[in-house]
């Protein structure tokens, strides 16, 4: 199929007026001007008219499980209070509730232009009930050993059983030690080793709140007290070092990892992230709307940009957000960080997360050989195309994933079964 559009936006190269994208067997065969590509093409053509054709967006951090919690938790007084509230909610949710959440979350993600999603999966036992996802989805097994340490063999065996080969699923699988306050440094190290052996991504929550920072550096505060009360060993707290510094010291985290949040940083953290540092090139996923919900301190954007951090955007979960929309995240980011060009903001949901997933050249841009994950948005006159896209606030009505229209029939059927 040859797609013609008023404007083609490859992301990694300048926009093309009256452009076209050739797609064959789920891959992009060529990108160029319509006049050039049509000469040697005798196959079917779809003219998208006055639209901008661009790569599908990539959500680098979300929790589809919790889609059913939208509006269930008012903005809390403290981060530890939110943890206790979501844990209480989780006790009332059934497997069917979580399955409906996953299905609804995939639907909502597509509605707002995401063709790829990195999902933190807290309930991997549900996966056999999930039909083939219509979006390119990475399912990252959430690992926690807050009270009981896990042996190496158990980590590897658990990963291999969870990531049973599903050749018809787009995306992949990964490992996600939840956070340094719920997963030991040893579990991080083992997860990183298991992921390297199986070529999977590793992602985690890190430096999310001032309470987490206070817990590790000073051995005090609401989160410290809560976790000590429920039996977490607290010997890694009070050294003056951040969680990132603690993990880096035992080689439990590396520049190949995706870190969600990193709202709190120390001088030691920034030295690790700087050129020549142990973690230079680390990918950090910022979730602007969740950040606003928790009223965190200003995100350290300038310091991270200066040190070459690969910055991405994600939606987090609907337990701390109101919608799974990367357009909304781009707008919240722009509002909080005036002066960042729209072109750079768009890279936070295209090129940068593709790089974080080890998929540079295959996702997040329109180039020959990349996956045909595409969306089209209405073109509004002479408005700057990057500004137009980052301010877009309507459902996306045209999408292709791997060259096909995403089919939600099986997902909807699975969700409906849980309501029968």
């Amino acid at each position: 199929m040859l797609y013609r559009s008023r404007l083609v936006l490859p992301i990694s190269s300048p926009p093309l007026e009256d452009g076209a994208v050739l797609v064959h067997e789920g891959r992009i065969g060529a990108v160029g001007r319509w006049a050039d590509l049509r000469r040697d093409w005798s196959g079917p053509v779809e003219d998208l008219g006055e639209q901008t054709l661009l790569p599908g967006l990539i959500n680098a951090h979300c929790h589809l499980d919790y889609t059913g919690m939208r509006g269930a938790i008012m903005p809390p007084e403290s981060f530890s209070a939110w943890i206790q509230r979501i844990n209480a909610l989780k006790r009332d949710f059934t497997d069917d509730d979580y399955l409906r959440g996953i299905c609804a979350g995939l639907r909502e993600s597509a509605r707002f232009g995401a063709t790829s999603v990195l999902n933190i999966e807290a309930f991997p036992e549900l996966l056999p009930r999930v039909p083939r996802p219509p979006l390119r989805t990475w399912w990252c097994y959430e690992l926690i050993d807050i009270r009981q340490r896990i042996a190496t063999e158990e980590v590897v065996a658990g990963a291999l059983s969870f990531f049973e080969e599903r050749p018809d699923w787009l995306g992949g699988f990964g490992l996600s030690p939840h956070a340094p306050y719920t997963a030991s440094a040893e579990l991080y190290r083992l997860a990183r080793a298991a992921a390297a052996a199986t070529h999977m991504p590793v992602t985690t929550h890190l430096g999310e709140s001032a309470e987490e920072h206070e817990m590790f550096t000073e051995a005090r505060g609401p989160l410290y007290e809560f976790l000590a009360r429920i039996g977490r060993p607290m010997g890694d707290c009070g050294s003056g070092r951040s969680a990132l510094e603690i993990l880096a010291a035992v080689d439990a985290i590396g520049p190949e990892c995706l870190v969600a949040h990193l709202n709190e940083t120390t001088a030691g953290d920034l030295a690790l992230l700087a050129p020549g540092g142990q973690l230079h090139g680390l990918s950090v996923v910022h979730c602007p709307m969740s950040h606003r919900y928790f009223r965190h301190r200003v995100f350290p954007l300038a310091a991270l940009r200066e040190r070459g951090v690969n910055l991405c955007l994600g939606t987090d979960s609907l337990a701390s957000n109101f919608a799974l929309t990367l357009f909304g995240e781009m707008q919240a980011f722009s509002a909080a960080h005036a002066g960042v060009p729209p072109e750079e903001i768009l890279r936070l949901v295209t090129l940068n997360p593709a790089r974080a997933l080890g998929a540079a050249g295959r996702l997040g841009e329109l180039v020959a050989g990349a996956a045909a994950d595409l969306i089209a948005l209405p073109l509004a006159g002479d408005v700057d195309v990057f500004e137009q896209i980052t301010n877009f606030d309507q459902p996306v009505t045209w999408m292709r994933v791997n060259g096909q229209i995403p089919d939600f029939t099986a997902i909807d059927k699975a969700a409906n079964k849980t309501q029968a």
Side-chain angles (χ1 to χ4, degrees), residues 32 79 134 156 244 252 402:
F79 185 69
V156 175
L244 184 66
N402 216 44

Side-chain angles (χ1 to χ4, degrees), residues 69-135:
M69 295 185 183
R70 190 193 321 257
I73 309 177
M74 295 297 291
E77 290 301 316
S78 69
F79 185 69
S80 57
W82 180 85
I83 292 174
Q84 293 174 68
R85 177 59 181 148
I86 193 172
N87 285 341
L89 281 175
K90 287 164 71 173
R91 287 192 289 270
D92 293 333
F93 270 55
T94 66
D95 285 354
D96 283 353
D97 293 328
Y98 290 121
L99 181 58
R100 278 195 299 274
I102 290 170
C103 295
L106 288 168
R107 263 274 185 200
E108 185 164 331
S109 298
R111 184 170 182 259
F112 293 112
T115 54
S116 292
V117 174
L118 188 142
N119 176 53
I120 311 304
E121 186 49 59
F123 306 99
E125 63 273 15
L126 293 178
L127 276 193
R129 296 179 59 190
V130 178
R132 178 183 183 273
L135 303 184

Side-chain angles (χ1 to χ4, degrees), residues 206-267:
L206 197 60
E208 184 170 2
S209 68
E211 291 175 45
E212 176 191 327
H213 180 75
E214 184 181 33
M215 167 183 157
F216 282 104
T217 58
E218 301 179 37
R220 62 184 180 89
L223 187 61
Y224 178 91
E225 293 167 5
F226 166 63
L227 292 170
R229 190 165 61 248
I230 65 173
R232 180 195 186 274
M234 307 303 285
D236 55 350
C237 302
S239 66
R241 296 183 301 167
S242 71
L244 184 66
E245 293 175 277
I246 292 168
L247 293 175
V250 294
D251 208 27
I253 193 167
E256 79 282 2
C257 298
L258 290 85
V259 168
H261 308 306
L262 205 62
N263 299 317
E264 300 284 333
T265 57
T266 65

Side-chain angles (χ1 to χ4, degrees), residues 12 211 230 305 307 327 392-393 407:
S12 53
E211 291 175 45
I230 65 173
R305 288 168 85 195
R307 287 158 179 82
F327 293 113
F392 191 75
D393 61 359
D407 184 358

Side-chain angles (χ1 to χ4, degrees), residues 60-330:
H61 182 77
C62 73
H63 298 259
L64 297 176
D65 295 345
Y66 305 141
T67 304
M69 295 185 183
R70 190 193 321 257
I73 309 177
M74 295 297 291
E77 290 301 316
S78 69
F79 185 69
S80 57
W82 180 85
I83 292 174
Q84 293 174 68
R85 177 59 181 148
I86 193 172
N87 285 341
L89 281 175
K90 287 164 71 173
R91 287 192 289 270
D92 293 333
F93 270 55
T94 66
D95 285 354
D96 283 353
D97 293 328
Y98 290 121
L99 181 58
R100 278 195 299 274
I102 290 170
C103 295
L106 288 168
R107 263 274 185 200
E108 185 164 331
S109 298
R111 184 170 182 259
F112 293 112
T115 54
S116 292
V117 174
L118 188 142
N119 176 53
I120 311 304
E121 186 49 59
F123 306 99
E125 63 273 15
L126 293 178
L127 276 193
R129 296 179 59 190
V130 178
R132 178 183 183 273
L135 303 184
R136 198 176 298 275
T137 308
W138 277 261
W139 304 86
C140 295
Y141 183 10
E142 187 173 73
L143 301 169
I144 292 175
D145 66 345
I146 187 171
R147 292 190 180 95
Q148 181 178 358
R149 298 302 184 228
I150 301 174
T152 309
E153 295 78 7
E154 292 172 338
V155 171
V156 175
L160 292 177
S161 67
F162 173 64
F163 305 124
E164 183 180 7
E165 186 178 3
R166 291 175 170 87
D168 62 331
W169 282 30
L170 299 175
F173 301 96
L175 294 174
S176 180
H178 170 252
Y181 52 85
T182 52
S184 65
E186 177 66 3
L187 182 56
Y188 271 88
R189 191 185 65 77
L190 297 176
R192 187 183 178 202
T198 50
H199 306 289
M200 295 185 295
V202 176
T203 185
T204 186
H205 304 80
L206 197 60
E208 184 170 2
S209 68
E211 291 175 45
E212 176 191 327
H213 180 75
E214 184 181 33
M215 167 183 157
F216 282 104
T217 58
E218 301 179 37
R220 62 184 180 89
L223 187 61
Y224 178 91
E225 293 167 5
F226 166 63
L227 292 170
R229 190 165 61 248
I230 65 173
R232 180 195 186 274
M234 307 303 285
D236 55 350
C237 302
S239 66
R241 296 183 301 167
S242 71
L244 184 66
E245 293 175 277
I246 292 168
L247 293 175
V250 294
D251 208 27
I253 193 167
E256 79 282 2
C257 298
L258 290 85
V259 168
H261 308 306
L262 205 62
N263 299 317
E264 300 284 333
T265 57
T266 65
D269 295 336
L270 297 177
L272 288 168
L273 296 169
Q278 182 181 344
L279 299 179
H280 180 61
L282 184 79
S283 294
V284 170
V285 188
H286 179 43
C287 302
M289 290 198 289
S290 179
H291 189 277
R292 184 168 59 194
Y293 165 90
F294 283 114
R295 299 185 293 274
H296 292 312
R297 287 196 280 249
V298 175
F299 182 68
L301 175 65
L304 298 181
R305 288 168 85 195
E306 287 170 8
R307 287 158 179 82
V309 166
N310 181 45
L311 188 63
C312 315
L313 295 185
T315 60
D316 215 339
S317 80
L318 293 192
S320 61
N321 202 345
F322 66 87
L324 301 177
T325 165
L326 289 172
F327 293 113
E329 300 294 346
M330 287 190 283

